[in-house]
Amino acid sequence: MASVHKFNEALAKVRGVPLGTIEAYSRVLRRDGVLPETKRGGAAAPLTPTMAGYMLAAVMRLSPLNAAD
């Protein structure tokens, strides 16, 4: 199963935006409790279909500042 970071990399590539932009969405979602706190590498939390859906919905919004709305 993919990690949130790997999913962020794929979203950045597909959307044609810098990885930092997608990571800004993830930070807001983590801050607001939508995504779990996680680490990178082997300790990374696995990405669930629900988490992927939240990320996709957030990235379709206009700004990462209101990603969790």
Side-chain angles (χ1 to χ4, degrees):
M1 186 169 282
S3 67
V4 173
H5 181 70
K6 290 291 184 187
F7 189 67
N8 286 350
E9 289 177 336
L11 276 177
K13 186 175 182 179
V14 168
R15 295 277 298 163
V17 298
L19 178 58
T21 300
I22 302 298
E23 288 176 339
Y25 287 94
S26 288
R27 279 191 298 277
V28 171
L29 293 173
R30 278 193 194 95
R31 180 194 70 202
D32 293 343
V34 176
L35 294 180
E37 293 293 328
T38 187
K39 299 176 181 175
R40 290 190 180 181
L47 180 73
T48 67
T50 301
M51 290 166 54
Y54 287 143
M55 278 299 300
L56 285 172
V59 168
M60 298 308 289
R61 297 198 51 97
L62 296 177
S63 169
L65 298 176
N66 59 359
D69 290 346

